[in-house]
Amino acid sequence: MRHRYVLFTLVALSLAGCSSTGTGAKDVAAHGASSATAQATSWWRPKVGVSWQWQLSGKIDTSVNASVFDVDMFETPKSTVTALHKKGRKVICYVSIGSAEKGRPDYNKFPKSILGKKLDGWPNERWVDIRRIDVLQHIWAARLDQCKAKGFDGVEPDNVDAYQNKSGFPLTAKHQLAFNRMLARVAHQKGLAVGLKNDLDQIPSLVKDFDFAVNEQCAEYKECSDLKPFIKAGKPVFHAEYNLPLSKFCPESKRLRLSSIRKTLDLTAKRQTCS
């Protein structure tokens, strides 16, 4: 997970993921029914080029001039979501579901049997066995119910590229696709927009399932062109850089029509934009 820099240094956090020993025909069938679910349910569909703010630590600064706010689901109170709505903003809840973070209120919902290796640089966070969709789906649905209860419009599930990392499980691209599609399907059933976080290699297969993309450092790693399928489909790419100055990535971001910002690694309210 080369690009993940979500900060929880001020608080011990924990979110969990669940796993399954195989994807199974039931999961494939569930995805096959997703189009019917989509027709039966309405949710927010953001447009290409919409401005955004990403803040996962500190008190949320609702005065930031951005149309979309992406904030932590557990730490952000309903009153903040309501305040942002009154300003005409849309609000996304950040939730890590491909990992289990100690400190999250539902950490004990994740069976020890599905907890894998610690994430590099995150000693209080462990990968989960995404093959256990049967377990993870219940945890995911419960978290989405919390998002809805607080009034969020969409969700950003994090750590959805375990198959490319040393998770402690023999995960494949097929396992990841089944898991990620489950996340999107259940989010839509709950009436929430859902974004694909990083996982660039699977964009061609998943762009139809997700409503937007969230990316870290595609400019630094020269990967921004990989996100073009989202833009072509009329779906925004919420993009953040940490190390590059605006002059190094804004020209390409504007050409590709990405919604790009520069953030510090602690993801406080501080933000620079390309406009």
Side-chain angles (χ1 to χ4, degrees):
M1 78 185 296
R2 185 175 59 193
H3 306 312
R4 184 176 179 276
Y5 286 103
V6 175
L7 180 74
F8 293 111
T9 55
L10 302 179
V11 212
L13 301 175
S14 102
L15 188 170
C18 298
S19 24
S20 142
T21 52
T23 55
K26 183 182 294 184
D27 300 315
V28 175
H31 171 62
S34 63
S35 60
T37 300
Q39 293 175 2
T41 309
S42 62
W43 59 86
W44 168 55
R45 290 174 171 81
K47 304 298 184 182
V48 171
V50 65
S51 61
W52 79 304
Q53 162 67 324
W54 198 18
Q55 183 179 350
L56 298 182
S57 62
K59 183 178 180 181
I60 304 301
D61 182 356
T62 61
S63 69
V64 172
N65 186 22
S67 296
V68 177
F69 278 65
D70 189 339
V71 298
D72 185 81
M73 189 271 283
F74 288 106
E75 301 296 320
T76 306
K78 181 177 180 179
S79 58
T80 299
V81 179
T82 300
L84 287 168
H85 280 161
K86 288 181 178 179
K87 292 175 176 287
R89 315 307 193 199
K90 294 292 185 180
V91 195
I92 295 168
C93 61
Y94 166 89
V95 183
S96 183
I97 189 61
S99 67
E101 307 160 283
K102 289 183 179 178
R104 293 299 198 187
D106 62 354
Y107 181 71
N108 62 358
K109 300 293 184 183
F110 301 96
K112 291 183 179 180
S113 62
I114 69 158
L115 299 180
K117 292 184 177 181
K118 294 179 180 178
L119 276 67
D120 186 24
W122 303 89
N124 292 320
E125 192 167 353
R126 294 170 67 178
W127 293 103
V128 298
D129 188 350
I130 61 171
R131 296 171 298 172
R132 293 298 310 277
I133 287 181
D134 56 330
V135 179
L136 278 169
Q137 182 167 323
H138 291 295
I139 297 171
W140 178 237
R143 288 179 167 183
L144 294 182
D145 286 340
Q146 293 182 61
C147 283
K148 287 293 292 185
K150 289 185 176 183
F152 284 97
D153 304 288
V155 58
E156 177 209 338
D158 198 11
N159 293 312
V160 295
D161 54 1
Y163 82 105
Q164 293 182 321
N165 291 274
K166 295 179 180 179
S167 67
F169 305 107
L171 303 178
T172 67
K174 184 177 179 180
H175 294 138
Q176 194 71 62
L177 286 173
F179 177 71
N180 290 357
R181 283 172 173 152
M182 179 276 291
L183 298 179
R185 176 174 55 83
V186 177
H188 288 160
Q189 288 175 341
K190 301 288 185 179
L192 290 164
V194 59
L196 180 65
K197 178 70 168 290
N198 297 324
D199 196 17
L200 293 172
D201 290 348
Q202 295 190 327
I203 284 177
S205 299
L206 292 172
V207 65
K208 291 182 179 180
D209 297 273
F210 289 81
D211 304 295
F212 58 91
V214 178
N215 176 268
E216 296 167 288
Q217 297 172 279
C218 71
E220 182 172 347
Y221 292 100
K222 303 185 186 307
E223 297 169 335
C224 291
S225 61
D226 292 345
L227 291 150
K228 289 194 292 185
F230 271 94
I231 301 300
K232 185 177 180 180
K235 301 175 180 183
V237 173
F238 298 126
H239 161 235
E241 293 290 333
Y242 304 109
N243 302 314
L244 299 179
L246 296 180
S247 60
K248 292 295 184 180
F249 67 88
C250 284
E252 182 185 31
S253 289
K254 290 180 178 179
R255 179 176 61 81
L256 294 175
R257 301 173 67 202
L258 309 184
S259 299
S260 298
I261 56 177
R262 187 175 190 271
K263 298 288 294 185
T264 55
L265 293 179
D266 53 3
L267 292 176
T268 58
K270 186 176 181 181
R271 164 181 175 269
Q272 292 178 289
T273 69
C274 288
S275 56

